[in-house]
Amino acid sequence: MTIRAVVTGGSGFVGSHLCERLVYEGWNVVCFDSLITGDTANLAGLEGHERFHFERCDVADGLSAHGAVDWILHLASPASPVDYLAHPIETLRAGADGTMRALRLAREKSAAFLLASTSEVYGDPAVHPQPESYWGNVNPVGPRSVYDEAKRYAEALTMAFHRTYGIAVKIPRIFNTYGPRLRREDGRAVPTFIWEALRGEPLTIYGDGSQTRSFCHVDDLVEGLWRILNSDLTGPVNLGNPEELTILELAELVRELVGGPSEVRFVERMPDDPTVRRPDITLIRSATGWEPKVPLRDGLIRTIEWARKTWLAG
Ligand code: NAD
Ligand code: UDP
């Protein structure tokens, strides 16, 4: 029988790639998205498909679905720091009210539930790399808390529904992901550096660029989500590429790959910006055999090629 899934936030960067994969796998997908940071253009490849349906809706205000549902995949939330700092209350509501509504729907439909969580639950980590057993170091009242604490609450709520009602739950903690469909102005490092380099402008580095991140290509990420959906895993599982580099190294790599005259310029760093980040992927590797396949350099080359075609034309 065809598996039927509700995907919240399916018009965004990760969600649109995931919807495509689920439809490709033969699933029936209903996507709910408020379009606060998403774009229906991301779903152009699924338009008119008989196993795909889009509905505009803010899941913090309401979420219902006709008929049987096997899976609720809850991705709805602004995810870029620039986006969530511009929409602090909406971000808290997506994580709190949105997750509550999504879990209630899962309970009503006897569906399994996946929460798209984040490496931000580790905050500015005192343990490096980060295993799932690390509880994190989050400033509960800093500007980033609107995202970090919303996701931490969403994780707690998900586990409470699991323990109380026996709902099957998966909680991928997604680390920095990049690839086609990132918005050029969404403020995240990869699209910003590419967009600046393509225009020959200086690449803007927050602080001295010594902070580290580990970037995963979206194709690897979606494969990881697919493996998690098909696994016996319950609860948090790191999903990311452990290939770690400094932000200055990332900027220099993007500049090299784009070519052109860009320099780097240093501006003040945002408060509570994590100093290091790298996933320990022992759990997902042992449970599902997943590991990332796309090296950063190759993934960036592909993303830059897409950006040239899409952003410079549009
Ligand atoms: P995105 O901003 O591109 O996508 C988020 C989508 O959710 C958008 O389409 C937006 O319109 C929608 N949305 C937000 N609030 C909503 C609401 N209340 N109701 C309905 N729709 C709503 O971001 P993304 O990078 O695709 O992130 C998707 C998910 O993955 C998020 O939950 C994010 O926290 C998580 N995540 C992403 C990354 C990453 O590097 N991309 C890292 C960690 C976690
Ligand atoms: N960053 C930067 N310049 C930018 C955007 C981001 O130097 O134009 C830095 C940011 O301070 C952070 C890292 O790059 O240390 C990754 O930022 P991003 O917004 O991509 O993701 P985050 O990991 O902060 O959610």
Side-chain angles (χ1 to χ4, degrees):
M1 231 178 61
T2 307
I3 297 174
R4 188 151 181 266
V6 161
V7 179
T8 74
S11 313
F13 163 54
V14 172
S16 60
H17 288 279
L18 180 62
C19 286
E20 281 178 353
R21 175 67 183 264
L22 298 179
V23 170
Y24 171 82
E25 297 287 348
W27 288 28
N28 200 317
V29 175
V30 184
C31 164
F32 292 99
D33 200 301
S34 65
L35 302 179
I36 186 171
T37 56
D39 190 336
T40 50
N42 290 334
L43 297 170
L46 291 172
E47 209 183 316
H49 196 290
E50 58 179 5
R51 280 185 285 102
F52 182 76
H53 176 72
F54 171 81
E55 207 167 297
R56 185 167 184 174
C57 121
D58 185 329
V59 300
D61 291 337
L63 181 60
S64 62
H66 297 294
V69 177
D70 304 292
W71 274 98
I72 313 281
L73 312 182
H74 182 44
L75 280 74
S77 169
S80 150
V82 167
D83 286 339
Y84 61 70
L85 295 175
H87 302 289
I89 310 294
E90 292 87 342
T91 302
L92 280 159
R93 290 202 64 223
D97 302 330
T99 306
M100 178 67 85
R101 289 182 188 281
L103 279 162
R104 282 188 179 147
L105 185 63
R107 188 183 173 210
E108 177 197 325
K109 301 288 182 182
S110 302
F113 182 82
L114 178 141
L115 170 71
S117 188
T118 170
S119 52
E120 281 281 329
V121 300
Y122 301 121
D124 189 3
V127 172
H128 189 67
Q130 295 78 55
E132 290 83 356
S133 54
Y134 177 50
W135 292 352
N137 177 34
V138 172
N139 174 355
V141 292
R144 292 177 92 95
S145 66
V146 299
Y147 183 66
D148 300 10
E149 295 292 15
K151 290 287 185 181
R152 287 169 68 95
Y153 171 82
E155 286 199 5
L157 194 61
T158 300
M159 291 311 293
F161 266 70
H162 170 64
R163 292 190 189 106
T164 309
Y165 303 119
I167 291 174
V169 299
K170 319 276 179 194
I171 308 182
R173 287 183 177 154
I174 302 172
F175 283 63
N176 298 64
T177 304
Y178 69 98
R181 300 193 192 141
L182 278 167
R183 284 162 27 239
R184 65 187 183 198
E185 70 289 344
D186 95 350
R188 288 181 261 199
V190 170
T192 307
F193 290 161
I194 294 176
W195 183 227
E196 287 169 337
L198 285 173
R199 288 179 300 162
E201 290 182 355
L203 273 53
T204 310
I205 299 202
Y206 300 153
D208 63 5
S210 63
Q211 68 270 37
T212 71
R213 292 294 188 274
S214 309
F215 293 92
C216 185
H217 190 271
V218 70
D219 289 353
D220 280 334
L221 186 91
V222 168
E223 175 62 26
L225 290 173
W226 177 250
R227 301 262 188 118
I228 290 169
L229 287 175
N230 289 287
S231 74
D232 293 331
L233 284 163
T234 291
V237 55
N238 287 339
L239 181 52
N241 187 333
E243 195 181 340
E244 180 184 10
L245 78 173
T246 68
I247 291 303
L248 182 57
E249 286 167 339
L250 174 73
E252 283 168 349
L253 181 56
V254 168
R255 185 170 62 170
E256 176 206 322
L257 296 175
V258 171
S262 287
E263 297 183 349
V264 292
R265 74 181 175 111
F266 297 91
V267 301
E268 201 183 332
R269 190 139 160 235
M270 289 205 232
D272 303 328
D273 187 4
T275 309
V276 290
R277 181 180 291 157
R278 173 183 182 174
D280 178 334
I281 59 167
T282 309
L283 176 59
I284 188 168
R285 193 187 270 138
S286 61
T288 74
W290 178 86
E291 52 186 12
K293 297 270 187 283
V294 185
L296 180 61
R297 173 176 275 271
D298 296 356
L300 284 175
I301 291 171
R302 282 156 57 180
T303 307
I304 290 164
E305 204 176 309
W306 169 84
R308 271 190 210 282
K309 276 194 269 181
T310 315
W311 295 346
L312 292 179

